[in-house]
Amino acid sequence: MLILGLETSCDETGVALYHTERGLLAHALFSQIDIHVEYGGVVPELASRDHVRKTLPLLEQVMAEAGVTAADIDGVAYTAGPGLVGALMVGATLARALAWGWGVPALGVHHMEGHLLAPMLEEEHPEFPFVALLVSGGHTQLVRVDGIGKYKLLGESLDDAAGEAFDKVAKMLGLPYPGGPHVAKLAAQGNSERFDFPRPMVNRPGLDFSFSGLKTYTLNTVEDCKIDGVLGEQDRVDIARAFEDAVVSTLTIKCRRALQQEGLKTLVMAGGVSANLNLRAELKRALAKEQAAVFYPAPQFCTDNGAMIAYAGAQRLRAGQIDAADVAVRPRWPM
Ligand code: KG4
Ligand code: ZN
């Protein structure tokens, strides 16, 4: 089965072709970061308009790259939510129209299911069951995964998502949007010994997270360090480091706890924050001690992309699942 995947939930246009036997044939991504950077965050209307401009050219590009024609495509998967409603509508409408024109089924995929299954695109991929840590700009969740569609939420953030906290701390440090990679770059030069930021909720039982207190703690530290309203360069890098260390160790503690609770030895990490190299290294180190393994997507498939949607859609379409023909999106959608 050859499945076209479309991702347009936020500020990246992703298009991919996934074949259930041959794997990923082609994928293309356009990031709108340059469009939104001057506003310090995603402007929904600008996002929708740019998805309109980019989806068809990217589709033509991946079809040419894969050497396939419309007649070869067996189904269309698109991100139906959660995300920005206008942006989602662009992908959903195009997917529905293409599927109708080509006479093939279309299926709306949950964006976080796409992230969660992205590590399955790798040659060395995990086997079910596993625990997944989903860490993106909108979500921080621990999920038990027993198979496609068999998901049990174990814990989640009660307030800000980890990526959102990275983005807000980036703003405090005068860094551009999206802040995660910029904070990580600063943190690499920082001194871990200088500050000791709190690890939220680690002393309480359970698997929920909270990052808003850590964000406030970071803001207070920024204000305390300023001299005549200016934050020194060493302060910036040390604060970035202390913040990143706190997020990394909080996530690591909860992942270990989730694996112990579920009696599992496999952890999968996905979503934009899973691109963070310190988080990857620390999880690997901590889990090795327990003979547990951690899997993550290739860096290009950690953040939003069409390949993960094509993959998730292919699994569901192969299992015979199809949606009604109306164009339906769900800006808020629990997994
Ligand atoms: O999954 P994603 O591309 O979009 C959402 O579905 O939210 O995740 C984007 C988030 C942003 O908050 C971004 O700052 C964060 O992932 N991020 C990172 C890194 N790369 C992206 N956070 C920390 N370290 C990184 N290297
Ligand atoms: Zn995402």
Side-chain angles (χ1 to χ4, degrees), residues 183-245:
V183 172
K185 214 166 145 193
L186 268 199
Q189 306 157 46
N191 172 9
S192 264
E193 309 296 317
R194 169 128 174 244
F195 298 107
D196 190 14
F197 280 22
R199 273 66 171 150
M201 295 183 71
V202 294
N203 296 324
R204 273 194 247 166
L207 296 169
D208 287 333
F209 304 91
S210 162
F211 290 106
S212 107
L214 176 61
K215 191 184 63 189
T216 309
Y217 191 94
T218 308
L219 180 63
N220 290 339
T221 310
V222 167
E223 293 306 323
D224 288 348
C225 287
K226 278 183 180 168
I227 297 170
D228 297 330
V230 181
L231 190 65
E233 195 45 37
Q234 193 60 46
D235 296 332
R236 278 177 91 222
V237 297
D238 291 344
I239 290 171
R241 181 61 192 253
F243 168 78
E244 189 186 67
D245 284 350

Side-chain angles (χ1 to χ4, degrees), residues 133 135-136 269-277 279-280 296-297 301-303:
L133 171 69
V135 268
S136 71
M269 179 167 63
V273 182
S274 68
N276 187 282
L277 295 178
L279 178 59
R280 287 177 176 226
Y296 23 68
F301 300 137
C302 284
T303 46

Side-chain angles (χ1 to χ4, degrees), residues 4 44 73 97 159 181 250 261 263:
L4 168 68
I73 296 173
D159 41 59
T250 304
Q261 177 189 302

Side-chain angles (χ1 to χ4, degrees), residues 7 33 87 113 164 205 250 264 324:
E7 156 63 37
I33 286 177
E113 179 178 44
E164 194 180 348
T250 304
L264 295 176

